C-alpha cells in the first residue's frame, strides 16, 4: 500500500480460491482488465462511463484525497480465481466522513459492479461486496474491524425506462430489470426516498432521471440529510464530474441545495412489496416511477 502521495493498490485473499486486486492508479493494467468486463456489462448510453472517464476519476485521487474535509479513494477492482480467470469487477468511491453520522463513519458510492457471465450463480456478488467493504475501510484509513460503510448504488428504474431501453439492457445482460432489483433486495438494498437524478457523466451525455438510488447495510430505517449531502457532494464532484465544475443550475447543485436545507430524515423503503406488483404482465404505465409505486405499497 502506498503513501499519502501515491496511488493506493491492494490485494485481498477472500474465500478459498478467490483473490481481489484493486487500484487507484490510472496507469495500472488492472484498469484495462476491469474495463474489459465492464464494457460487456453496461450498454445504456447515459449510464456508461468510457475508459477515459474511469482514467480521469482515478487520476484525480491525490487532488481530492481530503476534499470537503473528508477522506476519499476511488478504486477499480477485479475478482479472480487462483488461475487468474476474471470473475467480476467493481468501481467505487469511498468517502470517509470524519465525524460519524447516523453511527456511520464511511459511505461507498458503488458506481459499477458486474459478475462475468461464466461466474454467475456462484454467489460472486456477495463476495464482491465483502471485498468492497474491506477495501473501502482500508483505503480511507479505517481499521478492518471498524463498522461497515453504508453502500449506495444507482439502479435502473424499471418503470421509467423506455420499453426499448428496458428490452435492450435485459437482452444484453440476460437478466430482467425487475429480477435484477430482486437480487439486490435479497442482498439488503432499500430504496432511498429521494428524487435522485444522475448528473451527466460527460459533455456528450445527458443527466439521467431514470434511476433509483438504493442503500445497502445502513444501520437505521432512515438517512440523515447531512449524510446524503456529504455522500453526494463527494460522489458528484469525483465520480461524476471528475473534478470539473457543473454548469450553474445543474442537477447536482439542485439536489445538494435541497439536502442542505432539509431537516427531515430520508426514509429507506423496502423494495419487495413494489416488486411484487411488477410481474411480466403488469401495466407499468399506471405508476410514475418505482419510487411512487414503493410509496403506494407503504400505505
Amino acid at each position: 500500500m502506498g503513501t499519502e502521495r501515491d496511488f493506493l493498490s491492494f490485494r485481498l485473499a477472500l474465500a478459498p480460491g478467490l483473490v481481489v486486486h484493486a487500484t487507484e492508479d490510472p496507469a495500472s493494467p488492472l484498469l484495462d482488465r476491469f474495463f474489459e468486463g465492464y464494457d460487456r456489462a453496461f450498454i445504456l448510453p447515459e449510464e456508461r462511463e468510457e475508459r477515459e472517464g474511469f482514467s480521469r476519476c482515478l487520476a484525480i485521487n491525490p487532488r481530492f484525497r481530503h476534499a470537503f474535509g473528508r477522506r476519499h479513494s476511488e478504486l477499480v477492482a477485479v475478482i479472480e480465481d487462483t488461475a487468474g480467470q476474471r470473475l467480476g469487477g467493481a468501481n467505487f468511491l469511498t468517502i470517509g466522513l470524519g465525524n460519524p453520522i447516523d453511527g456511520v463513519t464511511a459511505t461507498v458510492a458503488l458506481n459499477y459492479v458486474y459478475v462475468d457471465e461464466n461466474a454467475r450463480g456462484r454467489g460472486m456478488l456477495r463476495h464482491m461486496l465483502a471485498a468492497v467493504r474491506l477495501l473501502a475501510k482500508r483505503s480511507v484509513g479505517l481499521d478492518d474491524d471498524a463498522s461497515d460503510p453504508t453502500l449506495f448504488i444507482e439502479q435502473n428504474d424499471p418503470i421509467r425506462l423506455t420499453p426499448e431501453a428496458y428490452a435492450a439492457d435485459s437482452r444484453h445482460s440476460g437478466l430482467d430489470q425487475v429480477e435484477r432489483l430482486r437480487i439486490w433486495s435479497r442482498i439488503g438494498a432499500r430504496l432511498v426516498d429521494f428524487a435522485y437524478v444522475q448528473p451527466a457523466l460527460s459533455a456528450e451525455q445527458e443527466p439521467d432521471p431514470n434511476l433509483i438510488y438504493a442503500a445497502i447495510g445502513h444501520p437505521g430505517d432512515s438517512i440523515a440529510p447531512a449524510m446524503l449531502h456529504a455522500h453526494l457532494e463527494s460522489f458528484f464532484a469525483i465520480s461524476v464530474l471528475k473534478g470539473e465544475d457543473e454548469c450553474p443550475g445543474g442537477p447536482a447543485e439542485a439536489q445538494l441545495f435541497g439536502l442542505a436545507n432539509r431537516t427531515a430524515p430520508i426514509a429507506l423503503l423496502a423494495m419487495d412489496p413494489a416488486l411484487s406488483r411488477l410481474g411480466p404482465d403488469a401495466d407499468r404505465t399506471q405508476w410514475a416511477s418505482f419510487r411512487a409505486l414503493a410509496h403506494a405499497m407503504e400505505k
Side-chain angles (χ1 to χ4, degrees), residues 98-176:
N99 296 321
I101 305 175
D102 285 348
V104 174
T105 55
T107 64
V108 171
L110 190 56
N111 302 333
Y112 299 98
V113 61
Y114 65 87
V115 173
D116 280 282
E117 190 171 358
N118 65 314
R120 292 177 183 171
R122 296 163 54 183
M124 209 55 60
L125 182 57
R126 291 185 184 274
H127 288 304
M128 196 77 234
L129 294 183
V132 166
R133 292 183 178 102
L134 184 54
L135 289 166
K137 287 186 275 190
R138 292 185 180 182
S139 68
V140 296
L142 297 174
D143 293 335
D144 287 359
D145 59 358
S147 59
D148 283 341
T150 295
L151 276 57
F152 291 97
I153 184 169
E154 300 168 332
Q155 297 280 2
N156 289 332
D157 185 331
I159 293 175
R160 298 199 64 169
L161 280 178
T162 66
E164 295 78 14
Y166 188 113
D169 193 60
S170 298
R171 183 172 57 252
H172 180 81
S173 66
L175 194 61
D176 180 79

Side-chain angles (χ1 to χ4, degrees), residues 150 152 190-193 213-216 218-223 266-270 298:
T150 295
F152 291 97
R190 291 178 289 172
L191 176 65
V192 180
D193 190 10
Y213 214 51
I216 306 166
H218 190 69
D221 292 328
S222 63
I223 295 173
I266 302 160
L268 295 175
L269 306 177
E298 285 276 306

